[in-house]
Amino acid sequence: MEKNRVKIMTEVGLAVSLAAVLNFMPLWKMPQGGSVSLEMLPILLVTLRWDWKTGMLAGAVYGFLQLIINPYIIHPAQLLLDYPVPYLMLGLAGFIILQKKDSLKANSLRLFLSISLGGAGRFLSHLFSGAIFFGQYAPEGQNPWIYSAIYNLSYLIPSLILCYILLLTLLNRFVFDKESR
Amino acid sequence: MLKDITIGQYIPRNSIIHRLDARMKIIITTLMIISLFLIEGFTGFGIFFLFLIIMIFMSKLPVKKVLKGLKPILFLIMLTLVIHIFLTKGGEVLWSWKFISIESEGVFTGFFMVSRILLLILFTSTLTLTTSPLQLTDGIEYILTPLKRFGVPASELSMMMTIALRFIPTLLEEADKIMKAQMARGADFESGNIIQRAKNLIPLLVPLFISAFRRADDLALAMESRCYRGGEGRTRLHELRYHYRDFFALGTSLIIGIIVSYF
């Protein structure tokens, strides 16, 4: 990372900016604040372009940015689990490395695994946050985990599928070609 | 269409609350959030509410704008209230019809939870209403500084946040321009099902990403040629400095926080 440090920093900055811009154009809005948008696309892109550490950094930056722009705080633990942590977990996608020399088939499988990993990370964080919220505010006797899982999966899965489809087409241009202009 | 979006909720005013140090405001907000969770009855909420009103009054914010921040959580509030009133049992039975009954415990818990959510959202929104995103970024950097020891790149993080904030309007404008250009060529961004719509975004995304990465390249070059080398020893144009008023604000909030936690 050292050699490209400043370049990575500026790319992460711009990617986060793009994520915020894409978040402004949601494709589908949920009643409780979640929305199907492409905000994860730029973050997953820099993750795959560089490495998981960069991805986590980008995620954390995006999370803090959302916290500043649009905070929605109902519990101290929810603050962490809804803002910096879930996006940071997206960086897990970087554990699976895609290589230019491999076939498209191998890479699309890897991309699928990688996005699933990142998505699962983000989901877990939102799952805990939702369970804490429901546990705190909902009456006893209801199972908070199921509510939280259904709610969060309902927008995460469509978002992740869209990211997968779009990333497949953007792979050659932006992930493998770091000098792309 | 994209140009009307405002980033953040900051409303510039010349008030003592606006002038408070961003770090202190973040610390105070955290303290007050914690104290809200220690409150056990409505007296505490009442005192807290009074404190909040005085604060909003001092910050010269238009009350309408403050209340507007509650709009997105209206659904959540109603849901919490209704669920508790009907499902939390205990205490006297106030009303019943066949298998539905409303009991006093449910009404109490319902309003209790709703008051807490309302006050939480109102308090945190006064923070974002009176502090600009850039000041908040600086504040977050300072607060994360102790974590540097554990490998958290606090100053890099805040530099990236600053870059991101700086380029949101630029990229929004660019997205708008590209959308119009592609629409003039017959692109369709508004019809079709969700997957179709996402696919239709490719003619927007590719140029947008190219331009963003190009800007990142140029920016990196510009920063390197000005000898940027990270947080170590970097000086800043606007130093954050604590004043008496900051400690006064901290003291007041601490006292209020302790008082309300007893009720």
Side-chain angles (χ1 to χ4, degrees):
Chain A
M1 181 162 170
E2 213 35 57
K3 197 182 108 208
N4 283 322
R5 220 185 75 180
V6 179
K7 190 176 170 190
I8 291 177
M9 276 179 67
T10 54
E11 272 189 19
V12 167
L14 266 296
V16 169
S17 210
L18 266 177
V21 168
L22 289 172
N23 193 30
F24 283 131
M25 1 182 182
L27 300 165
W28 164 251
K29 254 193 166 16
M30 307 278 291
Q32 281 198 38
S35 64
V36 177
S37 74
L38 298 172
E39 53 171 349
M40 289 187 280
L41 190 68
I43 294 168
L44 288 168
L45 200 89
V46 285
T47 311
L48 297 170
R49 199 169 144 94
W50 300 100
D51 56 5
W52 63 274
K53 277 188 194 158
T54 313
M56 287 196 161
L57 201 59
V61 173
Y62 182 64
F64 278 119
L65 193 79
Q66 284 298 325
L67 187 62
I68 285 180
I69 299 183
N70 208 359
Y72 184 67
I73 302 162
I74 37 187
H75 192 283
Q78 172 263 350
L79 188 159
L80 286 178
L81 290 174
D82 263 353
Y83 290 101
V85 179
Y87 297 103
L88 189 138
M89 298 287 265
L90 275 182
L92 291 178
F95 281 136
I96 290 165
I97 293 158
L98 282 76
Q99 275 166 335
K100 193 178 184 173
K101 60 179 193 315
D102 292 332
S103 68
L104 182 67
K105 210 176 149 195
N107 272 334
S108 38
L109 180 69
R110 276 192 212 136
L111 183 66
F112 179 77
L113 288 175
S114 135
I115 288 183
S116 312
L117 198 64
R122 183 175 167 195
F123 168 69
L124 275 182
S125 177
H126 282 308
L127 178 74
F128 277 105
S129 145
I132 288 173
F133 167 74
F134 285 114
Q136 184 68 226
Y137 291 97
E140 281 166 38
Q142 314 281 318
N143 191 337
W145 296 93
I146 293 175
Y147 277 113
S148 178
I150 292 173
Y151 168 68
N152 284 309
L153 285 176
S154 66
Y155 67 88
L156 269 179
I157 288 185
S159 299
L160 287 168
I161 293 174
L162 292 180
C163 281
Y164 176 69
I165 297 172
L166 290 172
L167 269 176
L168 265 183
T169 56
L170 299 175
L171 214 54
N172 270 321
R173 176 100 216 207
F174 297 105
V175 175
F176 299 139
D177 188 4
K178 286 181 187 146
E179 299 305 318
S180 82
R181 279 187 159 248
Chain B
M1 122 210 166
L2 285 173
K3 278 184 185 168
D4 307 326
I5 294 168
T6 46
I7 299 121
Q9 301 145 317
Y10 179 55
I11 302 174
R13 285 281 183 282
N14 184 16
S15 82
I16 183 148
I17 307 278
H18 282 73
R19 281 194 303 267
L20 286 179
D21 191 292
R23 291 168 288 180
M24 200 53 108
K25 280 196 264 192
I26 295 176
I27 295 170
I28 290 173
T29 309
T30 320
L31 278 177
M32 294 320 267
I33 289 176
I34 295 169
S35 77
L36 268 176
F37 278 87
L38 297 172
I39 293 177
E40 277 164 7
F42 285 102
T43 332
F45 285 140
I47 298 172
F48 196 98
F49 187 58
L50 210 68
F51 177 60
L52 187 70
I53 288 178
I54 294 171
M55 212 180 74
I56 292 172
F57 180 72
M58 277 168 69
S59 65
K60 298 180 188 167
L61 290 171
V63 178
K64 239 187 182 168
K65 282 266 165 123
V66 180
L67 291 178
K68 229 179 120 191
L70 291 175
K71 225 171 116 191
I73 57 152
L74 223 54
F75 176 79
L76 191 78
I77 288 175
M78 294 314 284
L79 191 79
T80 313
L81 190 65
V82 170
I83 288 179
H84 273 289
I85 286 182
F86 286 104
L87 296 178
T88 303
K89 302 293 173 202
E92 294 172 54
V93 178
L94 299 175
W95 180 82
S96 72
W97 179 76
K98 289 185 184 169
F99 55 89
I100 305 171
S101 71
I102 296 178
E103 297 175 15
S104 60
E105 192 75 13
V107 176
F108 177 83
T109 333
F111 281 101
F112 184 81
M113 292 301 175
V114 165
S115 320
R116 184 192 279 169
I117 303 180
L118 280 175
L119 289 174
L120 273 170
I121 302 285
L122 281 176
F123 204 93
T124 43
S125 64
T126 33
L127 172 69
T128 45
L129 284 167
T130 59
T131 322
S132 74
L134 279 178
Q135 284 176 314
L136 281 172
T137 307
D138 277 354
I140 288 181
E141 176 181 350
Y142 274 100
I143 284 166
L144 291 179
T145 303
L147 297 178
K148 268 187 187 166
R149 224 171 288 170
F150 306 105
V152 176
S155 35
E156 279 82 358
L157 208 94
S158 95
M159 176 52 105
M160 287 182 263
M161 268 170 82
T162 315
I163 294 174
L165 277 169
R166 159 67 184 79
F167 281 99
I168 291 174
T170 317
L171 291 180
L172 268 176
E173 204 182 306
E174 196 132 294
D176 204 50
K177 222 190 271 170
I178 297 170
M179 265 173 124
K180 281 186 183 134
Q182 301 289 34
M183 268 146 85
R185 294 177 178 86
D188 179 9
F189 293 114
E190 260 138 32
S191 58
N193 64 21
I194 189 166
I195 293 192
Q196 198 57 49
R197 268 169 65 189
K199 275 190 167 168
N200 287 349
L201 280 178
I202 290 179
L204 166 69
L205 291 176
V206 173
L208 198 58
F209 276 86
I210 291 179
S211 120
F213 282 129
R214 192 178 292 162
R215 278 176 200 280
D217 247 12
D218 291 348
L219 186 62
L221 206 64
M223 281 164 74
E224 270 169 346
S225 60
R226 285 166 180 75
C227 302
Y228 174 81
R229 49 189 179 76
E232 216 55 47
R234 193 179 145 231
T235 54
R236 37 180 79 235
L237 182 58
H238 300 289
E239 288 278 351
L240 286 178
R241 223 173 253 124
Y242 287 121
H243 294 271
Y244 285 122
R245 55 172 183 258
D246 296 311
F247 294 104
F248 180 73
L250 180 67
T252 320
S253 327
L254 261 179
I255 293 167
I256 300 277
I258 292 169
I259 291 175
V260 295
S261 319
Y262 272 101
F263 286 101

